[in-house]
Amino acid sequence: MGGGDLNAVGIQVQWAGYKGFLHQRSGGNDARSAAVLTLGAPNLDFTAVAGGTTCPSVSGGGCTVEVQFQPTVAGRRQGAVVISDIAGNVLVTVSLNGNGARAMAGFAPSAISTFAGGSGGPLMGPTGIAADGFGNYYVADPKANKVFEVSPSGAISTFAGTGSPGYSGDSGSATSAELNGPMDVVVDGAGFVYIADTINNVVRVVDTAGIISTYAGQYYLSGSAPPGVCQTATNSVGDGCLRTQIILNRPVALVFCHAQNLHITDQLNHRQRTVSGPVPSRSRRWETARRATTATAKTTRART
């Protein structure tokens, strides 16, 4: 490990035999770049060690990225190693999870203020919010059938959805896709935004290029007969199936746990669902003299 830093660990990344993280695109199977991100942003809690990667311009399906974890704030931190091809398409991500513990500098109650929305604004009935590493906020608004983005300066724009209720637009721009009553939103370590598309009974995901896909569940409208599940299902809602073969019934809330599994509140199925990934590719406890930290890594890849 470069420089002998005890906070650094080499993350083994494998992607041979996979078509891409979310959907098939052109660009080949060779790694052209490797980024280490914290909630989608570079140079925060998780950083790449200079000269510690074998990934750029690698042909084939495996390389190593040396990652350092130095939390900027106390509490849980999410990150990712993102490997992309020559066209900028994501080949594979390795989820990173860390916890920083440090003394609280000070806390005092303060006044409540509005930083987005209000009378005459675009927000109509917001129900969920999440933030990325750049300081942007994502607001799920089921009444508007949109997810809005609020910049650090307070500017509000449409992040996903046209405003018309429906289910369309997968593999295209998120702003041209239809959502139906989205109630929650969450951001992963790579900066991908997951949307509880509640009335459509699916979870959608928007990658860092702004392309939307269905991440979990099968589309059907509440009140109609749901689609079938896979033959290996252990019950009628698809436990044991691939994530795009399960049956959700009003997904209303999303959260990533410390292991970077996505947990879904499946309201009318009366369940908490978990979309789990492969076994972590590498785990390690990071410790420094300044603060105690822990971190784990998990590889997330799309199935062919």
Side-chain angles (χ1 to χ4, degrees):
M1 295 185 291
D5 194 327
L6 295 178
N7 267 7
V9 60
I11 303 297
Q12 309 264 329
V13 185
Q14 298 289 330
W15 66 90
Y18 290 84
K19 292 183 178 179
F21 177 55
L22 292 175
H23 33 256
Q24 177 69 37
R25 296 192 208 165
S26 61
N29 196 41
D30 296 343
R32 179 52 60 97
S33 66
V36 177
L37 307 173
T38 305
L39 290 172
N43 304 318
L44 291 178
D45 303 271
F46 299 95
T47 56
V49 175
T53 178
T54 65
C55 291
S57 302
V58 166
S59 297
C63 58
T64 300
V65 179
E66 196 169 359
V67 176
Q68 184 169 268
F69 179 56
Q70 292 184 316
T72 56
V73 296
R76 183 179 163 216
R77 309 298 289 162
Q78 293 174 246
V81 175
V82 180
I83 307 299
S84 302
D85 65 17
I86 191 172
N89 304 317
V90 175
L91 294 170
V92 63
T93 69
V94 178
S95 298
L96 305 171
N97 188 69
N99 185 66
R102 59 194 299 185
M104 182 72 74
F107 173 80
S110 57
I112 295 176
S113 62
T114 298
F115 75 92
S119 179
L123 300 182
M124 301 174 65
T127 57
I129 187 169
D132 67 16
F134 293 100
N136 300 304
Y137 292 90
Y138 302 89
V139 180
D141 191 332
K143 191 171 181 180
N145 296 304
K146 288 184 176 184
V147 172
F148 292 97
E149 180 177 350
V150 184
S151 73
S153 66
I156 303 176
S157 60
T158 297
F159 177 76
T162 64
S164 298
Y167 177 73
S168 69
D170 274 359
S171 299
S173 171
T175 55
S176 299
E178 291 179 326
L179 306 174
N180 199 345
M183 291 191 67
D184 201 16
V185 63
V186 69
V187 181
D188 73 7
F192 291 20
V193 178
Y194 298 74
I195 302 167
D197 195 357
T198 303
I199 306 302
N200 284 330
N201 294 308
V202 296
V203 174
R204 313 284 283 276
V205 61
V206 182
D207 67 17
T208 53
I211 304 300
I212 193 168
S213 302
T214 296
Y215 183 77
Q218 300 184 68
Y219 164 73
Y220 71 101
L221 290 176
S222 296
S224 62
V229 296
C230 68
Q231 293 183 348
T232 58
T234 59
N235 53 33
S236 62
V237 296
D239 283 355
C241 297
L242 299 177
R243 52 183 163 83
T244 53
Q245 296 175 332
I246 66 173
I247 302 299
L248 301 173
N249 196 347
R250 286 188 63 88
V252 295
L254 307 172
V255 67
F256 281 102
C257 68
H258 72 282
Q260 294 294 280
N261 297 323
L262 180 65
H263 297 269
I264 305 168
T265 297
D266 192 0
Q267 187 182 58
L268 296 187
N269 279 331
H270 313 291
R271 298 167 186 264
Q272 292 293 145
R273 313 293 292 277
T274 298
V275 180
S276 58
V279 176
S281 62
R282 182 70 181 266
S283 294
R284 177 180 171 119
R285 178 178 297 273
W286 272 282
E287 295 182 353
T288 71
R290 290 182 299 149
R291 60 182 74 98
T293 62
T294 61
T296 57
K298 186 186 77 172
T299 304
T300 306
R301 296 172 289 197
R303 296 176 182 265
T304 55

